[in-house]
Amino acid sequence: MSDEEYVDLSDDGAGDGFQATPQFKTMKSELTETLAAQKAAGIKNPIATTAPAKKKKRKNRKKKSADAPTGFEAYYVEAPMTVEQAKEADKLYSPDLPITERIEICIQRYRAKRRWNPERVKLFDSYLVLGGIRTGQKAFGGGVSIEGRGEDGEDADAADIAVQTARDYVEHVSTSKRNTDDWKGQPGVFEDEDEEWWVDFDLITRAFLSHKVPFVMGYRKEEDLLMAVNIVRNFLNYVSFHNVAPEYSQNLREAISTCDKAEKELLFTNGFLKGLPGRFNTACSALFGGHFFGLYESDAASTWEGKPTSKILGVAYKDARTTYLGAVGKHGTPEQRALGVEGVKLLRKEPLGFEITKIDMPSVGAQGGKAALGPVEAKLWVPEGERLPRTNTKEIVLWLEKEILNYAYPGLRFDAVVYTLSNGLYFIDTVTAAYCSFYTYHEPPNQSDVKDDADGNEADADDNFD
């Protein structure tokens, strides 16, 4: 084997190496020629010139983005505007423009100023839809066109572009030049052809937080309820801060006040509902033919699969009797105590709605602790717009445990099956719903034609998700 065919890799020339292939010979020859050329050109360290450049390490932008404020924090405040920003806002939200146009631009800019996740988008879209605002791309390029505002496309400014690109819009009210002339500019009401529209931030806020969030969207957890309140209040504060609707400033303040009230009442109402009917009312139900009558399974019961269970359903007759007689003995009249259980008959049961008017909390240190009873006065109630039922039960007094009364407040409403006993006592058997003091039912305009993107439909891809 010749020297050209064998490559020696050893340090001492011992001959450790390998047999050179034709490809290796070619590479060696090309490298030798390159080094010779670089040496002739005066390059001192030719090998260094062929070394690959080090790649710059990428910064971890994801972590930085995750730590950035979302704009929904409790401490978050809008940054002061510069002179240029203030001038731009004055043009965007000029009172000379219809409120429909101003609110469309406001919503678009508000979305861009916040960091969204799917749950926030779902809540905010649902809030807008309830107020008659469509979310998504305008059909057939509807809304206010740049040409309709008397501008040519080349000279369009930020205000014109914002109007044209807004993805949230009042569909049934045209914001064309014609509508600008027809708009009356009166707080509360404006007209479009044969339709009369009104602006009421507080109405939509009450309806959304008191009805749609808990009953339509099914939000019951504390964190979900507080998120809903926070999003609405955050948006209303943005509208107020940028003076989008100065003619509705008082109505905006009322809506923000509703959010403050909802933050407490939603949680208390939910806690009140979870605690009902309570130990005393359950005992009455088991004794006088209610839902819990005959519904009892002891520790020795088995499931339908034959597996043992330690869960107790209902209340035993003996325990129910003891609870009832103990309560009547402490809070009842002499006549009620004399009748006991056997002398009491059921007069009627009715599904009714009531509003709490007065609460007498058990005294501090009262016997029974959390189970100590206190009287609650309530009056007959139905949602606004509904007729009162025909009944003689106009007002009632209920006995509820302290642990339930901790969540009760004057103005709280609830629907329940109420039993009237011959000894003058009332008890609630089953409770179907509980409502805030500001409960309001409202449907978006033309409900059958409105597609609520918040109820199960996917959000647009261009939302600024976390």
Side-chain angles (χ1 to χ4, degrees):
M1 182 180 296
S2 64
D3 293 340
E4 294 181 358
E5 296 176 344
Y6 186 83
V7 180
D8 187 1
L9 298 178
S10 63
D11 296 333
D12 55 0
D16 295 331
F18 62 90
Q19 186 174 356
T21 63
Q23 292 86 350
F24 178 81
K25 293 178 182 179
T26 302
M27 294 174 59
K28 180 180 178 182
S29 176
E30 291 176 352
L31 178 60
T32 302
E33 292 176 1
T34 301
L35 292 176
Q38 292 180 346
K39 186 175 182 181
I43 299 176
K44 296 181 180 181
N45 189 8
I47 299 298
T49 62
T50 61
K54 292 184 178 180
K55 294 182 179 180
K56 294 183 179 180
K57 294 183 178 180
R58 294 184 178 179
K59 295 182 180 179
N60 190 352
R61 295 184 178 181
K62 186 176 181 180
K63 182 177 181 181
K64 183 178 179 180
S65 176
D67 295 336
T70 63
F72 294 102
E73 293 80 5
Y75 58 81
Y76 185 86
V77 294
E78 300 293 337
M81 290 187 290
T82 64
V83 176
E84 292 75 14
Q85 290 173 334
K87 290 180 179 179
E88 183 183 33
D90 288 342
K91 185 172 183 179
L92 288 171
Y93 307 127
S94 171
D96 295 333
L97 299 175
I99 183 61
T100 52
E101 185 172 321
R102 282 177 276 155
I103 203 67
E104 286 177 3
I105 298 173
C106 171
I107 295 170
Q108 180 198 24
R109 294 168 70 87
Y110 173 74
R111 286 188 186 274
K113 294 289 185 179
R114 297 294 185 268
R115 293 179 64 239
W116 301 86
N117 59 27
E119 203 61 41
R120 291 193 187 110
V121 171
K122 178 181 178 181
L123 283 164
F124 188 55
D125 285 355
S126 183
Y127 175 68
L128 296 180
V129 168
L130 189 64
I133 297 176
R134 288 270 192 158
T135 62
Q137 187 175 1
K138 298 179 182 180
F140 310 110
V144 180
S145 65
I146 293 176
E147 292 78 7
R149 289 166 59 89
E151 306 281 353
D152 56 26
E154 295 180 357
D155 298 330
D157 58 11
D160 303 315
I161 296 173
V163 172
Q164 183 67 16
T165 58
R167 54 154 286 192
D168 303 286
Y169 58 99
V170 183
E171 182 187 39
H172 299 288
V173 179
S174 172
T175 49
S176 63
K177 186 66 169 62
R178 175 194 57 76
N179 191 60
T180 302
D181 296 336
D182 293 342
W183 180 60
K184 306 302 180 183
Q186 301 173 357
V189 177
F190 60 92
E191 296 179 359
D192 177 55
E193 296 180 348
D194 297 329
E195 296 182 4
E196 184 179 87
W197 292 72
W198 68 94
V199 177
D200 195 332
F201 291 98
D202 187 43
L203 169 67
I204 302 304
T205 299
R206 285 185 282 114
F208 180 69
L209 295 178
S210 69
H211 176 76
K212 188 157 192 179
V213 168
F215 295 104
V216 179
M217 305 180 74
Y219 283 38
R220 294 293 179 180
K221 294 181 180 179
E222 178 177 339
E223 57 268 26
D224 294 335
L225 295 172
L226 293 180
M227 181 193 301
V229 174
N230 183 36
I231 289 174
V232 175
R233 179 166 49 200
N234 190 278
F235 172 68
L236 294 173
N237 282 331
Y238 184 90
V239 175
S240 179
F241 177 81
H242 290 277
N243 203 29
V244 176
E247 66 271 41
Y248 303 108
S249 58
Q250 177 60 33
N251 185 255
L252 269 171
R253 286 192 291 269
E254 293 172 356
I256 295 172
S257 178
T258 294
C259 291
D260 296 337
K261 183 184 294 185
E263 194 170 40
K264 299 177 181 178
E265 290 195 9
L266 282 171
L267 303 185
F268 275 63
T269 303
N270 204 28
F272 180 79
L273 181 62
K274 288 181 179 179
L276 294 175
R279 183 180 302 178
F280 172 74
N281 287 274
T282 300
C284 291
S285 176
L287 294 175
F288 303 111
H291 172 73
F292 293 95
F293 180 76
L295 179 62
Y296 176 73
E297 292 184 5
S298 66
D299 293 354
S302 299
T303 66
W304 64 276
E305 296 175 330
K307 298 179 180 179
T309 175
S310 60
K311 185 176 182 179
I312 300 177
L313 300 177
V315 59
Y317 180 86
K318 180 181 178 181
D319 295 335
R321 181 184 176 88
T322 300
T323 299
Y324 173 81
L325 292 177
V328 171
K330 187 174 183 179
H331 301 282
T333 63
E335 293 77 10
Q336 290 170 342
R337 289 194 290 269
L339 290 172
V341 174
E342 288 72 14
V344 179
K345 295 181 180 181
L346 174 64
L347 296 182
R348 59 184 176 272
K349 62 177 182 180
E350 304 166 286
L352 299 171
F354 288 93
E355 177 183 341
I356 295 177
T357 57
K358 184 179 179 181
I359 303 168
D360 288 332
M361 291 290 293
S363 59
V364 178
Q367 186 178 0
K370 293 182 179 180
L373 292 175
V376 175
E377 298 180 16
K379 64 179 181 180
L380 192 64
W381 169 84
V382 294
E384 184 178 355
E386 296 185 13
R387 293 183 178 181
L388 288 171
R390 294 182 179 180
T391 177
N392 293 325
T393 309
K394 305 296 184 182
E395 296 180 344
I396 62 173
V397 177
L398 299 171
W399 292 353
L400 298 176
E401 286 77 14
K402 184 178 181 180
E403 58 187 353
I404 301 177
L405 294 179
N406 286 331
Y407 294 100
Y409 56 88
L412 186 153
R413 293 88 178 263
F414 61 91
D415 291 332
V417 179
V418 178
Y419 283 59
T420 304
L421 301 178
S422 59
N423 61 358
L425 290 180
Y426 299 92
F427 72 87
I428 49 179
D429 187 40
T430 54
V431 184
T432 55
Y435 312 88
C436 297
S437 63
F438 58 89
Y439 176 78
T440 304
Y441 177 78
H442 173 75
E443 287 187 356
N446 297 326
Q447 173 65 33
S448 60
D449 188 46
V450 172
K451 179 181 179 182
D452 191 343
D453 289 335
D455 294 336
N457 295 296
E458 295 183 359
D460 281 5
D462 57 354
D463 282 310
N464 185 21
F465 291 147
D466 290 340

